Amino acid sequence: MEEIKLIRDGRRLDNRKFDELRKLSAELNLNKEAAGSAMFSMGNTIAVSTVYGPMEIFPKFLEEKDKAILEVNYNMLPFSTDERTRPKFSRRSIEISSVIKRVLENVIFLEDLPRTKILINIDILSADASTRCAAINASSMALALAGIPMKDLVASCSVGKIENTLVLDIAGKEDTEGEVDLPVAYLPLTDEILLLQMDGILKKEEFEKLLELAKKGCMQIYEFQKKTLLDFKSNLKYE
Amino acid sequence: MEEEKEGYIVVTPGTLLATSEKSGDGTYILNRKTYSKYFGVLKKVGYKISVIPFKQSYKPKKGEIIIGKIVEFNYPFFIVNIESPYPGYLFLGDISTYPIKQEQLMKIYKPGTWIYSKVLEITDKIKLSMKFRESRILRNGRIAYITPSKVPRVIGRGGSMIEMIQRKTKCTVLIGQNGVIWINGNKTELVLKIIQKIDKEAHISGLTDRISKLIDEELKNGRN
């Protein structure tokens, strides 16, 4: 089998620079029935997040007296990948749900809404690497729209290493053929890292460089999220 | 980052509002600085800074007047849906000062009945009362919903907005603090349209004038 070259003349497969994000776009309030919903896409990766609640908890023994509980369901739709995925919850989707839940628990003021539940459903419409990052970005915008008290918007993006080069925003072939994939979720206000997963092997200096690169990418996404939210209300014209 | 337009400022969660500790609703303090908690509109009154969210679930407070819907009877109380994460409880003893039999009450307070009542107290349950003077059972008419944070805009300063709507459309309009509105009269559709407009444009100044204009136009056209 012929080996695929991921880097040609200082450019990547999709003609991006090493520290360049894919094209970002977002749509807000898709679902009128939900408290808040948002679609976030990075290139060919599209995630839709819908937030319901805060609402009563059933069964009652799950509720906590002093804080709200979060329920996150991450699922990839059957048509999201090249080959059909089974629509039921897999081992992978359960893991990613719990990872996203742990990220969002750090951002929401859960103690403001005691004895309630916040339900977040995330659907991946199209998967092209770093789906969990798109899911976190979509969820943080949907939570803001739903009027849930939050510390800040979370931004997330992935960094990695392909052919001994450190790159921002892994996409497509780079995910499967590359050496390292490292998704990061970042809270700009307190300079905290809320998500850090890695597969592959890295040197210490490379890791530190990658983290800096990830923070830079997250800040770009954070500014984009803010701009989208502000435009959504400011462009409102009255007849 | 914040954006200023025609006198209102839209803020997102995590926006820096002040470099000192300030009190107010919808804000929080971290490292001696004040930040926004919600996606909403900034409001400054004196030394207070508060953020009014565009959307919010209702949090009951003692003494507030609300509109709710009876869900079921479960001795010794009725469970009431008050459009909040928590249900309301209307105890049999809080319904009337006169002794009424339970069977009779069950006939009046059927599931699906809308009531105009008051939050009596909040313990582990939210207790409602029907003993105050204005409380009543809402028959006929129709129901509209609005975000609870926008209820003050529907009422207007000193009740100016609601008074104007009632006078011009000749409808009876009752507003619950939980964002449920009961409308009765011949022009319910028009009032519904007005409420939807307020829900959409509550944060833009000069609301009362625009609403007044809308009603005049609609009445002149005679569509409603």
Short mmCIF file of all heavy atoms in Angstrom, two decimals, chain A residues 152-153 189 222-223 225-235, chain B residues 1-19 27 34-44 49-51 54:
data_model
loop_
_atom_site.label_atom_id
_atom_site.label_comp_id
_atom_site.label_asym_id
_atom_site.label_seq_id
_atom_site.Cartn_x
_atom_site.Cartn_y
_atom_site.Cartn_z
N ASP A 152 -17.85 30.81 32.42
CA ASP A 152 -17.32 31.34 31.17
C ASP A 152 -17.69 30.35 30.06
O ASP A 152 -18.14 29.25 30.34
CB ASP A 152 -15.79 31.47 31.27
CG ASP A 152 -15.23 32.43 30.24
OD1 ASP A 152 -16.02 32.93 29.43
OD2 ASP A 152 -14.02 32.67 30.25
N LEU A 153 -17.48 30.76 28.82
CA LEU A 153 -17.66 29.81 27.72
C LEU A 153 -16.41 28.93 27.63
O LEU A 153 -15.29 29.42 27.81
CB LEU A 153 -17.84 30.57 26.41
CG LEU A 153 -19.06 31.46 26.29
CD1 LEU A 153 -18.93 32.36 25.08
CD2 LEU A 153 -20.31 30.62 26.16
N LEU A 189 -10.85 32.30 31.18
CA LEU A 189 -10.96 33.23 32.31
C LEU A 189 -9.98 32.88 33.43
O LEU A 189 -9.27 33.75 33.95
CB LEU A 189 -12.40 33.19 32.84
CG LEU A 189 -12.72 34.16 33.95
CD1 LEU A 189 -12.90 35.54 33.39
CD2 LEU A 189 -13.97 33.73 34.67
N TYR A 222 -12.77 30.69 21.13
CA TYR A 222 -13.49 31.43 22.17
C TYR A 222 -13.99 32.77 21.64
O TYR A 222 -15.14 33.14 21.85
CB TYR A 222 -12.54 31.64 23.36
CG TYR A 222 -13.11 32.42 24.50
CD1 TYR A 222 -14.05 31.85 25.35
CD2 TYR A 222 -12.69 33.72 24.76
CE1 TYR A 222 -14.57 32.57 26.40
CE2 TYR A 222 -13.19 34.43 25.81
CZ TYR A 222 -14.13 33.86 26.63
OH TYR A 222 -14.65 34.57 27.67
N GLU A 223 -13.13 33.47 20.92
CA GLU A 223 -13.53 34.76 20.34
C GLU A 223 -14.65 34.56 19.33
O GLU A 223 -15.59 35.35 19.27
CB GLU A 223 -12.33 35.44 19.66
CG GLU A 223 -11.24 35.88 20.61
CD GLU A 223 -11.72 36.90 21.63
OE1 GLU A 223 -12.65 37.65 21.29
OE2 GLU A 223 -11.19 36.93 22.74
N GLN A 225 -16.90 32.14 19.35
CA GLN A 225 -18.13 31.82 20.09
C GLN A 225 -18.78 33.10 20.61
O GLN A 225 -19.99 33.31 20.48
CB GLN A 225 -17.81 30.92 21.27
CG GLN A 225 -17.60 29.47 20.91
CD GLN A 225 -17.17 28.66 22.12
OE1 GLN A 225 -16.43 29.13 22.96
NE2 GLN A 225 -17.63 27.44 22.20
N LYS A 226 -17.97 33.97 21.20
CA LYS A 226 -18.50 35.22 21.76
C LYS A 226 -19.12 36.08 20.68
O LYS A 226 -20.20 36.62 20.85
CB LYS A 226 -17.37 35.99 22.45
CG LYS A 226 -17.22 35.65 23.90
CD LYS A 226 -16.45 36.73 24.60
CE LYS A 226 -16.81 36.69 26.07
NZ LYS A 226 -16.03 37.66 26.82
N LYS A 227 -18.41 36.18 19.55
CA LYS A 227 -18.88 37.03 18.47
C LYS A 227 -20.22 36.51 17.94
O LYS A 227 -21.14 37.28 17.68
CB LYS A 227 -17.83 37.03 17.36
CG LYS A 227 -18.03 38.12 16.34
CD LYS A 227 -16.89 38.16 15.35
CE LYS A 227 -17.22 39.01 14.16
NZ LYS A 227 -18.20 38.39 13.27
N THR A 228 -20.33 35.19 17.80
CA THR A 228 -21.57 34.60 17.29
C THR A 228 -22.74 34.90 18.22
O THR A 228 -23.82 35.28 17.79
CB THR A 228 -21.42 33.08 17.15
OG1 THR A 228 -20.15 32.78 16.64
CG2 THR A 228 -22.47 32.51 16.24
N LEU A 229 -22.49 34.74 19.54
CA LEU A 229 -23.57 34.97 20.51
C LEU A 229 -23.99 36.44 20.49
O LEU A 229 -25.19 36.74 20.53
CB LEU A 229 -23.10 34.58 21.91
CG LEU A 229 -23.10 33.09 22.24
CD1 LEU A 229 -22.50 32.85 23.60
CD2 LEU A 229 -24.51 32.53 22.22
N LEU A 230 -23.01 37.36 20.45
CA LEU A 230 -23.35 38.77 20.47
C LEU A 230 -24.08 39.18 19.20
O LEU A 230 -25.06 39.92 19.26
CB LEU A 230 -22.09 39.61 20.65
CG LEU A 230 -21.41 39.50 22.02
CD1 LEU A 230 -20.13 40.30 22.04
CD2 LEU A 230 -22.32 39.96 23.12
N ASP A 231 -23.61 38.67 18.05
CA ASP A 231 -24.27 39.00 16.79
C ASP A 231 -25.71 38.51 16.76
O ASP A 231 -26.59 39.15 16.20
CB ASP A 231 -23.51 38.39 15.61
CG ASP A 231 -22.24 39.15 15.32
OD1 ASP A 231 -22.08 40.22 15.93
OD2 ASP A 231 -21.44 38.70 14.49
N PHE A 232 -25.93 37.37 17.39
CA PHE A 232 -27.26 36.76 17.38
C PHE A 232 -28.30 37.68 18.00
O PHE A 232 -29.42 37.78 17.51
CB PHE A 232 -27.19 35.43 18.15
CG PHE A 232 -28.49 34.71 18.24
CD1 PHE A 232 -29.10 34.22 17.11
CD2 PHE A 232 -29.10 34.51 19.46
CE1 PHE A 232 -30.29 33.55 17.19
CE2 PHE A 232 -30.30 33.84 19.55
CZ PHE A 232 -30.89 33.37 18.41
N LYS A 233 -27.93 38.39 19.08
CA LYS A 233 -28.89 39.29 19.73
C LYS A 233 -28.82 40.70 19.18
O LYS A 233 -29.80 41.43 19.18
CB LYS A 233 -28.67 39.31 21.25
CG LYS A 233 -29.31 38.14 21.96
CD LYS A 233 -30.83 38.15 21.83
CE LYS A 233 -31.42 36.86 22.38
NZ LYS A 233 -32.86 36.75 22.15
N SER A 234 -27.62 41.10 18.71
CA SER A 234 -27.48 42.49 18.28
C SER A 234 -28.08 42.73 16.91
O SER A 234 -28.52 43.83 16.61
CB SER A 234 -26.01 42.88 18.27
OG SER A 234 -25.46 42.64 19.53
N ASN A 235 -28.10 41.70 16.08
CA ASN A 235 -28.66 41.87 14.74
C ASN A 235 -30.18 41.84 14.73
O ASN A 235 -30.80 41.92 13.68
CB ASN A 235 -28.14 40.79 13.81
CG ASN A 235 -26.69 41.03 13.45
OD1 ASN A 235 -26.18 42.11 13.69
ND2 ASN A 235 -26.05 40.03 12.90
N MET B 1 -15.52 41.01 26.10
CA MET B 1 -16.03 41.71 24.91
C MET B 1 -17.50 42.04 25.13
O MET B 1 -18.27 41.24 25.61
CB MET B 1 -15.88 40.81 23.69
CG MET B 1 -15.85 41.58 22.41
SD MET B 1 -15.11 40.60 21.10
CE MET B 1 -16.50 39.67 20.53
N GLU B 2 -17.87 43.23 24.80
CA GLU B 2 -19.26 43.61 24.93
C GLU B 2 -19.63 44.55 23.80
O GLU B 2 -18.78 45.15 23.16
CB GLU B 2 -19.49 44.28 26.29
CG GLU B 2 -18.58 45.44 26.55
CD GLU B 2 -18.46 45.71 28.05
OE1 GLU B 2 -18.40 44.76 28.83
OE2 GLU B 2 -18.42 46.89 28.40
N GLU B 3 -20.89 44.62 23.56
CA GLU B 3 -21.33 45.40 22.41
C GLU B 3 -22.40 46.40 22.84
O GLU B 3 -23.36 46.06 23.52
CB GLU B 3 -21.91 44.46 21.35
CG GLU B 3 -21.85 45.08 19.98
CD GLU B 3 -21.79 44.00 18.92
OE1 GLU B 3 -20.77 43.28 18.86
OE2 GLU B 3 -22.76 43.88 18.18
N GLU B 4 -22.21 47.65 22.44
CA GLU B 4 -23.16 48.67 22.83
C GLU B 4 -24.00 49.08 21.63
O GLU B 4 -23.47 49.32 20.56
CB GLU B 4 -22.44 49.88 23.40
CG GLU B 4 -23.34 50.73 24.26
CD GLU B 4 -22.56 51.76 25.06
OE1 GLU B 4 -21.34 51.66 25.11
OE2 GLU B 4 -23.19 52.64 25.60
N LYS B 5 -25.29 49.14 21.83
CA LYS B 5 -26.17 49.49 20.71
C LYS B 5 -27.45 50.08 21.29
O LYS B 5 -28.15 49.43 22.04
CB LYS B 5 -26.48 48.24 19.89
CG LYS B 5 -26.69 48.55 18.42
CD LYS B 5 -26.72 47.25 17.65
CE LYS B 5 -26.67 47.51 16.17
NZ LYS B 5 -26.77 46.29 15.41
N GLU B 6 -27.71 51.30 20.94
CA GLU B 6 -28.93 51.99 21.36
C GLU B 6 -29.18 51.85 22.86
O GLU B 6 -30.26 51.49 23.31
CB GLU B 6 -30.13 51.46 20.57
CG GLU B 6 -30.13 51.93 19.13
CD GLU B 6 -31.27 51.36 18.35
OE1 GLU B 6 -32.31 51.07 18.95
OE2 GLU B 6 -31.11 51.19 17.14
N GLY B 7 -28.15 52.05 23.63
CA GLY B 7 -28.32 52.12 25.08
C GLY B 7 -28.36 50.82 25.82
O GLY B 7 -28.54 50.82 27.02
N TYR B 8 -28.24 49.70 25.16
CA TYR B 8 -28.18 48.44 25.92
C TYR B 8 -26.91 47.68 25.57
O TYR B 8 -26.41 47.76 24.45
CB TYR B 8 -29.42 47.57 25.66
CG TYR B 8 -29.53 47.01 24.28
CD1 TYR B 8 -29.03 45.74 24.00
CD2 TYR B 8 -30.14 47.71 23.26
CE1 TYR B 8 -29.12 45.21 22.73
CE2 TYR B 8 -30.22 47.20 21.99
CZ TYR B 8 -29.71 45.95 21.73
OH TYR B 8 -29.79 45.42 20.48
N ILE B 9 -26.39 46.96 26.55
CA ILE B 9 -25.15 46.23 26.33
C ILE B 9 -25.43 44.75 26.51
O ILE B 9 -25.98 44.31 27.52
CB ILE B 9 -24.08 46.69 27.34
CG1 ILE B 9 -23.75 48.17 27.13
CG2 ILE B 9 -22.81 45.85 27.18
CD1 ILE B 9 -22.86 48.75 28.17
N VAL B 10 -25.08 43.98 25.49
CA VAL B 10 -25.25 42.53 25.56
C VAL B 10 -23.94 41.92 26.07
O VAL B 10 -22.87 42.25 25.58
CB VAL B 10 -25.60 41.95 24.17
CG1 VAL B 10 -25.77 40.44 24.25
CG2 VAL B 10 -26.85 42.59 23.63
N VAL B 11 -24.05 41.05 27.07
CA VAL B 11 -22.84 40.40 27.60
C VAL B 11 -23.00 38.88 27.55
O VAL B 11 -24.11 38.36 27.61
CB VAL B 11 -22.54 40.84 29.05
CG1 VAL B 11 -22.13 42.29 29.11
CG2 VAL B 11 -23.70 40.57 29.97
N THR B 12 -21.88 38.22 27.43
CA THR B 12 -21.86 36.75 27.46
C THR B 12 -21.33 36.30 28.82
O THR B 12 -20.72 37.09 29.53
CB THR B 12 -20.96 36.21 26.35
OG1 THR B 12 -19.67 36.80 26.48
CG2 THR B 12 -21.50 36.50 24.98
N PRO B 13 -21.53 35.02 29.20
CA PRO B 13 -20.98 34.56 30.47
C PRO B 13 -19.47 34.76 30.51
O PRO B 13 -18.78 34.52 29.52
CB PRO B 13 -21.34 33.07 30.51
CG PRO B 13 -22.31 32.83 29.46
CD PRO B 13 -22.33 33.99 28.54
N GLY B 14 -18.96 35.20 31.65
CA GLY B 14 -17.52 35.36 31.80
C GLY B 14 -17.01 36.73 31.40
O GLY B 14 -15.82 36.97 31.45
N THR B 15 -17.92 37.66 31.03
CA THR B 15 -17.48 39.01 30.68
C THR B 15 -17.09 39.77 31.94
O THR B 15 -17.82 39.74 32.93
CB THR B 15 -18.62 39.76 29.96
OG1 THR B 15 -19.07 38.97 28.88
CG2 THR B 15 -18.14 41.10 29.43
N LEU B 16 -15.97 40.45 31.90
CA LEU B 16 -15.52 41.26 33.03
C LEU B 16 -16.40 42.51 33.12
O LEU B 16 -16.48 43.28 32.18
CB LEU B 16 -14.06 41.65 32.85
CG LEU B 16 -13.43 42.48 33.94
CD1 LEU B 16 -13.31 41.68 35.22
CD2 LEU B 16 -12.06 42.98 33.51
N LEU B 17 -17.08 42.67 34.28
CA LEU B 17 -18.00 43.81 34.42
C LEU B 17 -17.38 44.92 35.24
O LEU B 17 -17.61 46.09 34.99
CB LEU B 17 -19.30 43.35 35.09
CG LEU B 17 -20.08 42.25 34.37
CD1 LEU B 17 -21.30 41.88 35.19
CD2 LEU B 17 -20.51 42.69 32.99
N ALA B 18 -16.59 44.56 36.27
CA ALA B 18 -15.97 45.59 37.11
C ALA B 18 -14.70 45.01 37.71
O ALA B 18 -14.62 43.82 37.96
CB ALA B 18 -16.94 46.02 38.21
N THR B 19 -13.73 45.88 37.95
CA THR B 19 -12.48 45.40 38.52
C THR B 19 -12.52 45.43 40.05
O THR B 19 -11.51 45.20 40.70
CB THR B 19 -11.30 46.23 38.01
OG1 THR B 19 -11.66 47.61 38.11
CG2 THR B 19 -10.96 45.90 36.58
N THR B 27 -24.44 38.02 38.62
CA THR B 27 -22.99 38.22 38.55
C THR B 27 -22.31 37.36 39.60
O THR B 27 -22.95 36.87 40.52
CB THR B 27 -22.61 39.69 38.82
OG1 THR B 27 -23.06 40.04 40.12
CG2 THR B 27 -23.20 40.61 37.80
N THR B 34 -15.61 41.34 39.30
CA THR B 34 -16.99 40.93 39.06
C THR B 34 -17.16 40.48 37.62
O THR B 34 -16.75 41.18 36.69
CB THR B 34 -17.95 42.11 39.35
OG1 THR B 34 -17.56 42.70 40.58
CG2 THR B 34 -19.37 41.64 39.45
N TYR B 35 -17.75 39.33 37.44
CA TYR B 35 -17.96 38.78 36.10
C TYR B 35 -19.45 38.46 35.90
O TYR B 35 -20.19 38.28 36.87
CB TYR B 35 -17.17 37.49 35.91
CG TYR B 35 -15.68 37.66 35.99
CD1 TYR B 35 -15.00 37.46 37.19
CD2 TYR B 35 -14.94 38.00 34.86
CE1 TYR B 35 -13.62 37.61 37.27
CE2 TYR B 35 -13.57 38.15 34.93
CZ TYR B 35 -12.92 37.96 36.13
OH TYR B 35 -11.57 38.11 36.20
N SER B 36 -19.84 38.34 34.65
CA SER B 36 -21.23 38.01 34.32
C SER B 36 -21.44 36.50 34.41
O SER B 36 -20.55 35.71 34.11
CB SER B 36 -21.54 38.51 32.91
OG SER B 36 -22.71 37.91 32.45
N LYS B 37 -22.64 36.13 34.84
CA LYS B 37 -22.99 34.71 34.96
C LYS B 37 -23.80 34.24 33.77
O LYS B 37 -23.86 33.07 33.47
CB LYS B 37 -23.87 34.55 36.21
CG LYS B 37 -23.35 33.60 37.24
CD LYS B 37 -24.38 33.47 38.35
CE LYS B 37 -23.77 33.05 39.63
NZ LYS B 37 -24.76 32.84 40.68
N TYR B 38 -24.53 35.18 33.14
CA TYR B 38 -25.50 34.80 32.12
C TYR B 38 -25.19 35.46 30.78
O TYR B 38 -24.40 36.40 30.70
CB TYR B 38 -26.91 35.24 32.53
CG TYR B 38 -27.45 34.57 33.74
CD1 TYR B 38 -27.52 35.24 34.96
CD2 TYR B 38 -27.91 33.27 33.69
CE1 TYR B 38 -28.04 34.63 36.08
CE2 TYR B 38 -28.44 32.66 34.80
CZ TYR B 38 -28.50 33.34 36.00
OH TYR B 38 -29.00 32.73 37.10
N PHE B 39 -25.88 34.98 29.78
CA PHE B 39 -25.94 35.63 28.46
C PHE B 39 -27.15 36.54 28.51
O PHE B 39 -28.28 36.05 28.50
CB PHE B 39 -26.05 34.56 27.39
CG PHE B 39 -26.23 35.08 25.99
CD1 PHE B 39 -25.45 36.12 25.52
CD2 PHE B 39 -27.16 34.53 25.16
CE1 PHE B 39 -25.60 36.59 24.24
CE2 PHE B 39 -27.33 34.98 23.87
CZ PHE B 39 -26.54 36.03 23.41
N GLY B 40 -26.93 37.84 28.63
CA GLY B 40 -28.08 38.72 28.80
C GLY B 40 -27.71 40.18 28.63
O GLY B 40 -26.73 40.51 27.97
N VAL B 41 -28.54 41.04 29.23
CA VAL B 41 -28.37 42.49 29.08
C VAL B 41 -27.87 43.07 30.39
O VAL B 41 -28.37 42.75 31.46
CB VAL B 41 -29.71 43.15 28.67
CG1 VAL B 41 -29.55 44.65 28.58
CG2 VAL B 41 -30.18 42.61 27.36
N LEU B 42 -26.88 43.95 30.27
CA LEU B 42 -26.28 44.58 31.45
C LEU B 42 -27.16 45.72 31.93
O LEU B 42 -27.70 46.49 31.14
CB LEU B 42 -24.90 45.10 31.05
CG LEU B 42 -24.01 45.63 32.16
CD1 LEU B 42 -23.58 44.50 33.06
CD2 LEU B 42 -22.80 46.29 31.55
N LYS B 43 -27.29 45.83 33.27
CA LYS B 43 -28.10 46.90 33.83
C LYS B 43 -27.36 47.50 35.01
O LYS B 43 -26.91 46.77 35.90
CB LYS B 43 -29.45 46.32 34.29
CG LYS B 43 -30.50 47.36 34.54
CD LYS B 43 -31.77 46.69 35.00
CE LYS B 43 -32.81 47.69 35.40
NZ LYS B 43 -33.96 47.02 36.02
N LYS B 44 -27.23 48.82 35.02
CA LYS B 44 -26.51 49.49 36.11
C LYS B 44 -27.47 50.39 36.85
O LYS B 44 -28.10 51.27 36.26
CB LYS B 44 -25.36 50.32 35.55
CG LYS B 44 -24.11 49.52 35.25
CD LYS B 44 -22.99 50.44 34.79
CE LYS B 44 -21.87 49.62 34.19
NZ LYS B 44 -20.82 50.44 33.62
N ILE B 49 -24.52 46.34 39.86
CA ILE B 49 -24.44 45.90 38.47
C ILE B 49 -25.17 44.57 38.38
O ILE B 49 -24.88 43.67 39.15
CB ILE B 49 -22.98 45.72 38.02
CG1 ILE B 49 -22.25 47.05 38.04
CG2 ILE B 49 -22.92 45.10 36.63
CD1 ILE B 49 -20.82 46.96 37.58
N SER B 50 -26.12 44.46 37.48
CA SER B 50 -26.78 43.16 37.34
C SER B 50 -26.94 42.81 35.87
O SER B 50 -26.94 43.67 34.99
CB SER B 50 -28.12 43.16 38.06
OG SER B 50 -28.81 44.33 37.81
N VAL B 51 -27.06 41.51 35.63
CA VAL B 51 -27.26 41.01 34.27
C VAL B 51 -28.62 40.34 34.21
O VAL B 51 -28.93 39.47 35.02
CB VAL B 51 -26.15 40.00 33.89
CG1 VAL B 51 -26.41 39.41 32.53
CG2 VAL B 51 -24.79 40.66 33.92
N PHE B 54 -31.48 36.54 28.90
CA PHE B 54 -32.50 36.48 27.85
C PHE B 54 -33.50 35.37 28.14
O PHE B 54 -34.66 35.45 27.78
CB PHE B 54 -31.85 36.25 26.49
CG PHE B 54 -31.13 37.44 25.97
CD1 PHE B 54 -29.78 37.40 25.71
CD2 PHE B 54 -31.81 38.62 25.75
CE1 PHE B 54 -29.11 38.51 25.23
CE2 PHE B 54 -31.16 39.73 25.26
CZ PHE B 54 -29.81 39.68 25.01
#
